[in-house]
Amino acid sequence: IARDPRWGRNQEVASEDPYINGVFGTMYTKGLQEGEDDRYVQAISTLKHWDAYSLEDADNYTRHNFDAKISNYTLADSYFPAFKASVTEGGALGVMCSYNAVNGVPTCANSFLNGVLRGEWNFSGYITSDTGAVADIYEQHKYVATG
């Protein structure tokens, strides 16, 4: 979702509208993955960045240490629709978790986000990390499992 024109990666996003991004993601996914022979995947579409990722560098925050404080409503209304459409309608087979955290939990370690993908949307593909995002869990976010 492109919400701020100062973000350095707006050219990677189709729109600021969740619905339009969902239609774009669905068609892009189908175009990559579906070929002439239904028995084979032509290529795998990897959706990125899961999720709430739209910061480069600002006020001593980087994409590696940023914690997006977002309500469940905003996640569901703004950030999830494009991913959901691309998974449930487009059949995306790959998702890349992002560097940032969402509400204190790094996305690559976030069981809530994983539960939405796999539990609610029946995503059966692979989840991969962005380069260095797994190391960011403990090096940048200082996140460790408790209990």
Side-chain angles (χ1 to χ4, degrees), residues 104-106 109-111 136-146:
V105 183
N110 197 313
S111 61
D136 285 348
I137 293 170
Y138 61 91
E139 289 177 358
Q140 298 294 322
H141 297 290
K142 312 297 187 213
Y143 185 81
V144 295
T146 60

Side-chain angles (χ1 to χ4, degrees), residues 33 41 44-47 86-88 91-96 114 117-119 121-128:
Q33 292 186 176
V41 174
I44 292 179
S45 175
T46 303
L47 310 174
S86 299
V87 167
T88 62
L93 296 171
V95 171
M96 178 183 289
N114 193 36
L117 269 175
R118 297 207 185 274
W121 302 345
N122 298 314
F123 175 70
S124 61
Y126 70 89
I127 299 174
T128 188

Side-chain angles (χ1 to χ4, degrees), residues 36-52:
E36 294 179 12
D37 189 334
D38 290 343
R39 295 177 301 166
Y40 304 103
V41 174
Q42 183 171 276
I44 292 179
S45 175
T46 303
L47 310 174
K48 63 181 202 171
H49 293 95
W50 178 251
D51 201 1

Side-chain angles (χ1 to χ4, degrees), residues 23-43:
V23 171
F24 179 84
T26 297
M27 294 298 112
Y28 196 90
T29 297
K30 286 183 172 189
L32 282 174
Q33 292 186 176
E34 295 176 1
E36 294 179 12
D37 189 334
D38 290 343
R39 295 177 301 166
Y40 304 103
V41 174
Q42 183 171 276

Side-chain angles (χ1 to χ4, degrees), residues 8-132:
R9 299 181 85 166
N10 280 328
Q11 74 278 8
E12 297 179 13
V13 182
S15 171
E16 66 180 350
D17 182 89
Y19 174 76
I20 291 174
N21 277 334
V23 171
F24 179 84
T26 297
M27 294 298 112
Y28 196 90
T29 297
K30 286 183 172 189
L32 282 174
Q33 292 186 176
E34 295 176 1
E36 294 179 12
D37 189 334
D38 290 343
R39 295 177 301 166
Y40 304 103
V41 174
Q42 183 171 276
I44 292 179
S45 175
T46 303
L47 310 174
K48 63 181 202 171
H49 293 95
W50 178 251
D51 201 1
Y53 173 80
S54 59
L55 178 93
E56 287 300 314
D57 296 328
D59 300 323
N60 295 321
Y61 291 101
T62 71
R63 58 187 169 172
H64 297 280
N65 65 12
F66 182 67
D67 182 13
K69 302 292 186 189
I70 299 177
S71 70
N72 286 343
Y73 175 83
T74 300
L75 279 169
D77 185 65
S78 296
Y79 291 96
F80 285 175
F83 284 100
K84 182 178 183 180
S86 299
V87 167
T88 62
E89 297 170 31
L93 296 171
V95 171
M96 178 183 289
C97 54
S98 56
Y99 297 109
N100 62 289
V102 173
N103 298 326
V105 183
T107 61
C108 292
N110 197 313
S111 61
F112 169 72
L113 294 178
N114 193 36
V116 169
L117 269 175
R118 297 207 185 274
E120 294 182 26
W121 302 345
N122 298 314
F123 175 70
S124 61
Y126 70 89
I127 299 174
T128 188
S129 69
D130 209 334
T131 305

